[in-house]
Amino acid sequence: MPPLRSTDSPRAAMSTQIPVVLLSHRGPVSFDRDATSGERTATRGAGGLVTALSGLAAHLDEAVWVFVAAGEEDVAVARETEGAPARLLLDPEPRLLEDGDDQEGRQFPVRLLEIPHEVHEPFYGVISNPLLWFVQHRLYDLTRSPSLGREERTAFEEGYVVANELAADAVIEQVAKSATPPVVLLHDYHFYLVGDLVRQSCPDALISHFVHIPWPEPDSWRVLPPDMRNRLLNGLLGCDIVAFHTRADARAFQLCCQELLGLPTDLRSMTVSVAGRTVRVRVYPISIDIPALEAIAHTDASDEHLVDLDHTLGTGRLILRVDRTDPSKNIVRGFQAYDLLLAEHPEHHGNVVFLALLQPSRQDVKEYADYLAAIGAAASSVNAHHGTGDWQPVDLRYASDMALATAAYRRCDVLVVNAVADGMNLVAKEAVVLNERDMVLALSEATGAHDELGQFAVTLHPFDVAQQAEALHEALTMPPQLRRERREHAALIVHRNDVKRWLTVQLRDLAALAGPDGSSWTDGADRDHTGRPA
Ligand code: G6P
């Protein structure tokens, strides 16, 4: 493996020749069939994780990205390719390349993994989303839930464990095809068991697992039966590196290893000792791809949406939120806070609109379907309380439209992120970079983004509706000069810590760990991604 090189580009941080195998649940593309023509269509995957990994994969010469075939047409592609990687061209529109089809542009091999429906359903719909997501975002009302019966136990054994084994098999196959030991980069809460499975078959591979969602303290994990939580932790400890977005998450993970597994951990050097090995716990706050975002924000479609928004709002103020309809996003309390603001500050009546651009999410999970209904009711209630013939205070739109979102980022006066818990929250970063009106960021203290941007934001306390109402008033009445200074500072931070830096620092650490004696590793051992000492 090559030595560490001092550089600021992902391509140079680690030799592009090192083979890399990536695994995540969602992938960079999803396939469908056009309703009229019957032709296969391909759509680029959305979300921060997918965007960041697309940047990574495109930077490396030998990266294979394994992800789960989600819809019917994905499964058709998985079957046609029979588990062999196919080359994906990303731009301008994603498509699989045939052999000999030489194209310029961002491209890398992808491998779609078919997980049988009877396995995927309990894996995704019973364990990953309601159970792990809810534990990690602390969403349970513990007087009533979770209530773990036979169904959940079976879903764990026959869903989560089996899906993880299938994913591990695919990764192991890719590792085996590689002439030199590859770097294996595993992502998120769907695949906590894969690290250990891969280590058992491929002891030479360098394995890292990135947890993109919050990691709570040991007591939150105690809602899971000991055998279940221990297996999840031991799965992660099969890796060389376990990475998080925040120092608090990394620390909580180490406390879990200490308290739940009784393992020696060193909070200063951020290591856990297990079975004679040292597992490094690291902090790399994810960020955004600014040129790619700006490209979307300066399309005709985005400009047209901006003209529409300007036309509708006139001189009025715009409060904006852009979220999946996830209970962790705290959308209902956000509307309640706005309701209170309008009740206590009639001076805002007629002058402000709260635009909520919401993407329905995980609707086959009951808690999410119920939450969607609660969002609709909360928005209607605000409009019923305060609306007039020519002013509706809430404009609720269910849409997943980046052109519209970027136009709204450009036009908004306040961007609301009041999440109960959020690993990072990239909406906050996108908005401060694109905004053209010196917006105020109203940001939950429970987001990873608050570590970087909190000092330039109005902080929101996610459970305190009255505080959120006051904070919205403060944001709407903040003097222009202060707004400008804060937004500019926040944008500067995001420009400095962009997704390229997120990738570069990780790859540099991996290259150091992969060095002949691993000696360069200590160089980065007690610093986080932003260079702050531990
Ligand atoms: C979060 C998770 C991702 C997930 C995404 C969308 O960002 O960290 O792993 O892919 O939400 O959720 P979905 O269930 O639609 O994949």
Side-chain angles (χ1 to χ4, degrees):
M1 298 263 180
L4 172 68
R5 274 180 279 162
S6 175
T7 172
D8 67 350
S9 94
R11 178 166 277 275
M14 188 167 79
S15 163
T16 55
Q17 301 303 315
I18 294 183
V20 171
V21 182
L22 282 165
L23 171 71
S24 65
H25 181 254
R26 292 276 170 192
V29 65
S30 61
F31 297 96
D32 212 338
R33 288 261 168 206
D34 186 274
T36 18
S37 69
E39 296 276 302
R40 176 171 287 163
T41 60
T43 313
R44 186 159 329 150
L49 181 155
V50 158
T51 308
L53 293 190
S54 300
L56 174 69
H59 270 101
L60 300 168
D61 290 340
E62 282 191 66
V64 178
W65 186 343
V66 181
F67 61 93
V68 174
E72 264 176 45
E73 200 57 26
D74 286 359
V75 170
V77 173
R79 289 183 185 168
E80 283 163 24
T81 46
E82 294 175 332
R87 213 158 177 82
L88 175 72
L89 179 71
L90 267 188
D91 306 304
E93 295 302 326
R95 72 180 170 92
L96 292 181
L97 296 173
E98 304 287 332
D99 281 348
D101 187 353
D102 289 329
Q103 293 284 332
E104 290 288 300
R106 293 196 299 165
Q107 51 185 276
F108 44 81
V110 293
R111 173 171 175 166
L112 282 87
L113 170 68
E114 181 178 355
I115 296 185
H117 178 74
E118 63 279 16
V119 175
H120 191 267
E121 214 290 309
F123 153 74
Y124 181 78
V126 181
I127 301 298
S128 301
N129 284 327
L131 194 60
L132 295 179
W133 183 274
F134 271 54
V135 167
Q136 293 195 235
H137 289 82
R138 302 182 190 84
L139 293 177
Y140 283 121
D141 166 5
L142 290 180
T143 54
R144 280 179 290 187
S145 58
S147 180
L148 303 177
R150 290 269 166 257
E151 189 202 342
E152 286 75 16
R153 296 281 186 154
T154 309
F156 187 73
E157 295 302 336
E158 295 173 13
Y160 194 83
V161 173
V162 177
N164 273 250
E165 287 168 350
L166 290 171
D169 287 348
V171 170
I172 290 164
E173 244 181 73
Q174 290 308 133
V175 172
K177 285 182 188 160
S178 167
T180 43
V183 171
V184 175
L185 303 178
L186 309 171
H187 286 268
D188 236 349
Y189 56 100
H190 312 88
F191 295 123
Y192 287 152
L193 305 178
V194 171
D196 191 48
L197 293 168
V198 173
R199 166 161 311 284
Q200 287 173 29
S201 295
C202 318
D204 292 337
L206 186 56
I207 309 167
S208 136
H209 194 121
F210 206 114
V211 179
H212 289 263
I213 65 175
W215 190 280
E217 72 295 344
D219 277 353
S220 294
W221 286 97
R222 288 185 208 276
V223 303
L224 297 184
D227 62 315
M228 206 187 272
R229 67 194 187 218
N230 291 356
R231 281 163 79 181
L232 298 171
L233 281 168
N234 281 316
L236 283 169
L237 289 170
C239 301
D240 300 282
I241 296 181
V242 184
F244 300 88
H245 292 311
T246 69
R247 190 156 288 280
D249 292 334
R251 187 182 155 83
F253 173 73
Q254 286 181 272
L255 292 178
C256 285
C257 297
Q258 201 171 11
E259 291 181 23
L260 302 176
L261 297 180
L263 293 173
T265 65
D266 182 336
L267 291 176
R268 211 194 100 63
S269 66
M270 300 180 73
T271 53
V272 180
S273 304
V274 55
R277 293 190 306 113
T278 300
V279 178
R280 272 90 175 173
V281 183
R282 290 292 174 263
V283 180
Y284 307 109
I286 198 169
S287 194
I288 56 171
D289 182 339
I290 297 173
L293 183 70
E294 281 175 341
I296 300 172
H298 295 107
T299 52
D300 291 347
S302 181
D303 286 342
E304 279 163 27
H305 284 301
L306 187 59
V307 170
D308 282 352
L309 285 172
D310 274 334
H311 178 73
T312 317
L313 291 162
T315 55
R317 321 291 298 281
L318 177 63
I319 300 177
L320 173 69
R321 74 176 306 145
V322 179
D323 280 309
R324 285 186 303 109
T325 56
D326 192 300
S328 68
K329 303 293 181 185
N330 211 16
I331 299 163
V332 170
R333 282 197 195 87
F335 284 141
Q336 289 168 349
Y338 182 56
D339 199 356
L340 190 58
L341 168 85
L342 295 176
E344 291 181 345
H345 291 281
E347 67 270 27
H348 295 306
H349 286 210
N351 299 323
V352 64
V353 169
F354 190 156
L355 172 63
L357 299 178
L358 304 180
Q359 183 188 351
S361 179
R362 305 176 190 167
Q363 287 303 294
D364 42 356
V365 178
K366 182 179 181 308
E367 288 84 346
Y368 283 77
D370 292 349
Y371 196 66
L372 189 67
I375 290 169
S380 304
S381 160
V382 181
N383 283 339
H385 286 161
H386 306 286
T388 60
D390 47 7
W391 173 59
Q392 289 295 290
V394 175
D395 180 354
L396 172 59
R397 303 191 203 175
Y398 293 114
S400 172
D401 179 346
M402 270 312 276
L404 174 57
T406 51
Y409 289 150
R410 292 163 70 188
R411 174 59 178 78
C412 71
D413 299 281
V414 180
L415 187 275
V416 175
V417 175
N418 67 329
V420 164
D422 209 334
M424 174 51 67
N425 195 287
L426 294 177
V427 166
K429 294 190 172 183
E430 291 174 345
V432 296
V433 164
L434 288 186
N435 184 258
E436 294 167 3
R437 283 171 66 96
D438 293 326
M439 61 155 235
V440 177
L441 176 61
L443 182 61
S444 164
E445 64 173 350
T447 60
H450 197 269
D451 278 12
E452 286 170 274
L453 304 181
Q455 57 181 316
F456 309 112
V458 169
T459 294
L460 300 178
H461 300 289
F463 304 102
D464 189 342
V465 170
Q467 187 274 340
Q468 290 177 48
E470 285 159 21
L472 287 179
H473 180 64
E474 184 190 339
L476 285 170
T477 54
M478 189 178 286
Q481 178 65 20
L482 187 56
R483 288 203 323 248
R484 175 163 317 120
E485 281 167 20
R486 287 184 168 198
R487 199 213 45 94
E488 283 175 1
H489 271 111
L492 201 69
I493 299 268
V494 180
H495 275 275
R496 197 178 293 152
N497 293 333
D498 65 354
V499 76
K500 195 170 91 174
R501 182 155 163 76
W502 182 73
L503 299 171
T504 306
V505 180
Q506 285 180 76
L507 295 181
R508 199 186 290 167
D509 282 358
L510 282 162
L513 190 58
D517 56 2
S519 53
S520 330
W521 175 258
T522 48
D523 182 37
D526 52 7
R527 296 198 173 267
D528 72 11
H529 159 97
T530 54
R532 283 180 302 214

